């Protein structure tokens, strides 16, 4: 990797005896989105707080743009920004008033123009003069993202920005963040406890478990290692035909009814499975798939020593 935008080495934080963040190391390149995925209590927020200078680490180093964060905090904080579901925006001010305050803090030039530009980019321009607390949670999230972009940061730290949103709104926000990555060429550290969301958004994903990074890979790499999908098939054929075929193909399967089976397999193997069953004269009447949950992934990681 050329000079990373953010480089973290052996970062550690203790609360008493407990290591909330346990010697983690990672780097983020220009324009890259790294996902930090982990269940509640894994240490995601503590990591972000240290990266923002809000909590002092007990060990390790943080470099932004090749500069030591501890030694160049003020300059670096002007070049990064932060977004979270738990916004620090003022409920009783309008969207524009809120953004003006941050615009002043960051000494943004042509701040009104920048605010208009960002409200348009995030598709909330019609709410500019609404009070912040009148907005829906999806609209609030977009305004928070606009705030996070005000100073044209090179790096945005996002701590579960989608945590309070409905799934359909999450999809829209994910699309918007991807668009920001392209248009604003910004690097993003994105924390979440949602595997699907992180897999869709991020260029690489690190799993955080009890303060430790236990695995880092691309979403595709993760799918290859862990990505067993559950395929639910109902069919018209003799049960034995399907059962024999699945056994030969070595796909673990459970028959829920004689004409309904749940098969565990890699997503990429689904098309050939369906094709082979069809060749055997099996008529598929319906199918649905279920992606692995975060729990499945963690189970897999703790069971599989070779990872
Ligand atoms: P996550 O954001 O992944 O849910 P956190 O970083 O908030 O996890 O918390 C990691 C661990 O550190 C948890 O066990 C939490 O209880 C503990 N912790 C977080 N903040 C504090 C604090 N200020 N004092 C003591 N323990 C804390
Ligand atoms: Mg958290």
């Amino acid at each position: 990797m050329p000079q990373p935008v953010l480089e973290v080495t052996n970062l550690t934080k203790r609360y008493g005896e407990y290591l909330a963040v346990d010697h983690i190391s990672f780097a983020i390149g220009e324009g890259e989105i790294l996902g930090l995925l982990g269940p509640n209590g894994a240490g995601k927020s503590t990591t972000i707080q240290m990266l923002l200078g809000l909590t002092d680490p007990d060990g390790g180093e943080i470099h932004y743009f090749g500069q030591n964060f501890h030694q160049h905090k003020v300059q670096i904080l002007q070049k990064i920004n932060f977004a979270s579901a738990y916004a620090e925006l003022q409920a009783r001010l309008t969207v524009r008033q809120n953004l003006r305050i941050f615009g002043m803090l960051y000494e943004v030039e042509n701040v009104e123009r920048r605010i208009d530009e960002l409200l348009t980019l995030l598709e909330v321009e019609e709410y500019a003069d609404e009070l912040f607390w009148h907005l829906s949670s999806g609209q609030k999230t977009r305004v928070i993202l606009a705030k996070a972009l005000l100073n044209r940061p090179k790096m945005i730290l996002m701590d579960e920005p989608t945590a309070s949103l409905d799934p359909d709104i999450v999809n829209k926000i994910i699309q918007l963040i991807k668009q920001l990555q392209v248009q604003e060429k910004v690097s993003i550290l994105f924390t979440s406890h949602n595997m699907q969301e992180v897999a869709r958004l991020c260029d690489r994903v690190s799993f955080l478990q009890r303060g430790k990074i236990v695995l880092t890979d691309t979403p595709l790499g993760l799918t290859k290692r862990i990505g067993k999908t559950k395929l639910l098939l109902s069919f018209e054929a003799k049960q034995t035909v399907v059962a024999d075929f699945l056994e030969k193909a070595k796909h673990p399967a459970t028959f829920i009814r004689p004409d309904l089976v749940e098969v565990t397999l890699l997503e990429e193997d689904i098309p050939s499975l369906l094709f082979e069953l069809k060749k055997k004269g099996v008529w598929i009447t319906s199918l649905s798939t279920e992606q692995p949950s975060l729990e499945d992934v963690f189970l897999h990681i703790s069971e599989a020593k070779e990872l």
Side-chain angles (χ1 to χ4, degrees):
M1 191 188 285
Q3 166 93 69
V5 172
L6 169 64
E7 190 168 20
V8 170
T9 321
N10 284 325
L11 192 64
T12 300
K13 179 72 191 178
R14 281 175 201 281
Y15 288 117
E17 287 291 287
Y18 186 69
L19 274 169
V21 176
D22 190 356
H23 298 86
I24 65 169
S25 300
F26 61 85
I28 304 182
E30 192 180 343
E32 189 187 22
I33 306 185
L34 177 73
L36 203 54
L37 178 64
N40 279 335
K44 303 182 295 293
S45 295
T46 306
T47 302
I48 298 271
Q49 302 266 312
M50 289 190 281
L51 294 175
L52 287 167
L54 300 173
T55 302
D56 284 332
D58 292 307
E61 290 196 356
I62 300 165
H63 285 86
Y64 284 98
F65 325 109
Q67 289 184 310
N68 185 298
F69 183 43
H70 191 69
Q71 289 163 3
H72 301 92
K73 201 177 262 180
V74 176
Q75 301 93 303
I76 288 171
L77 285 175
Q78 288 290 330
K79 292 197 243 170
I80 67 173
N81 211 320
F82 167 68
S84 152
Y86 315 103
E88 70 274 52
L89 300 192
Q90 297 294 319
R92 290 165 183 280
L93 296 183
T94 67
V95 168
R96 186 181 293 280
Q97 287 166 338
N98 265 296
L99 294 177
R100 270 182 196 146
I101 291 173
F102 283 94
M104 283 193 285
L105 287 176
Y106 282 107
E107 298 172 356
V108 177
E109 282 174 27
N110 297 321
V111 66
E112 296 300 323
R113 206 202 303 158
R114 181 68 177 153
I115 291 173
D116 287 333
E117 192 179 291
L118 289 171
L119 293 178
T120 305
L121 181 66
L122 289 151
E123 300 169 15
V124 278
E125 63 270 40
E126 62 203 274
Y127 307 106
D129 299 316
E130 284 283 340
L131 295 181
F132 186 67
W133 67 280
H134 282 170
L135 303 188
S136 71
S137 51
Q139 291 157 356
K140 282 180 181 153
T141 306
R142 290 170 196 215
V143 175
I144 291 163
L145 291 175
K147 179 240 118 185
L149 287 159
L150 264 177
N151 57 329
R152 298 191 166 82
K154 299 269 175 254
M155 169 95 220
I156 307 181
L157 307 169
M158 298 190 178
D159 193 11
E160 306 213 40
T162 55
S164 61
L165 304 179
D166 294 335
D168 55 330
I169 301 172
V170 171
N171 284 341
K172 182 67 191 166
I173 297 292
I174 296 274
Q175 278 171 22
L176 280 171
I177 296 176
K178 271 194 181 275
Q179 195 182 326
L180 298 180
Q181 178 191 24
V182 176
Q183 292 188 2
E184 304 274 322
K185 295 190 184 57
V186 63
S187 308
I188 298 173
L189 177 65
F190 182 94
T191 80
S192 171
H193 58 262
N194 184 313
M195 151 104 177
Q196 259 76 41
E197 179 176 303
V198 164
R200 283 183 46 208
L201 177 67
C202 300
D203 302 305
R204 282 184 304 135
V205 181
S206 286
F207 281 92
L208 197 64
Q209 203 176 19
R210 280 182 241 105
K212 284 197 172 76
I213 290 181
V214 292
L215 171 68
T216 300
D217 209 336
T218 60
L220 191 66
L222 285 178
T223 322
K224 288 217 167 110
R225 292 185 200 219
I226 306 164
K228 294 276 171 148
T229 301
K230 285 185 182 140
L231 172 68
L232 196 62
L233 278 182
S234 62
F235 56 86
E236 279 174 21
K238 276 200 179 135
Q239 182 179 355
T240 51
V241 174
V242 177
D244 287 350
F245 170 76
L246 291 173
E247 200 181 324
K248 279 208 188 90
K250 296 202 168 62
H251 292 310
T254 310
F255 281 86
I256 294 160
R257 292 197 313 255
D259 62 348
L260 180 66
V261 64
E262 188 183 89
V263 188
T264 306
L265 77 176
L266 289 172
E267 192 168 25
E268 64 207 40
D269 291 339
I270 294 176
S272 65
L273 174 104
L274 297 176
F275 182 71
E276 293 298 327
L277 283 172
K278 187 158 181 270
K279 272 206 321 204
K280 296 210 172 306
V282 176
W283 181 255
I284 307 288
T285 53
S286 83
L287 66 88
S288 65
T289 58
E290 194 185 312
Q291 301 298 327
S293 67
L294 183 62
E295 286 69 33
D296 295 332
V297 174
F298 281 126
L299 268 179
H300 188 92
I301 291 172
S302 43
E303 281 166 8
K305 298 276 183 290
E306 79 272 20
L307 287 170

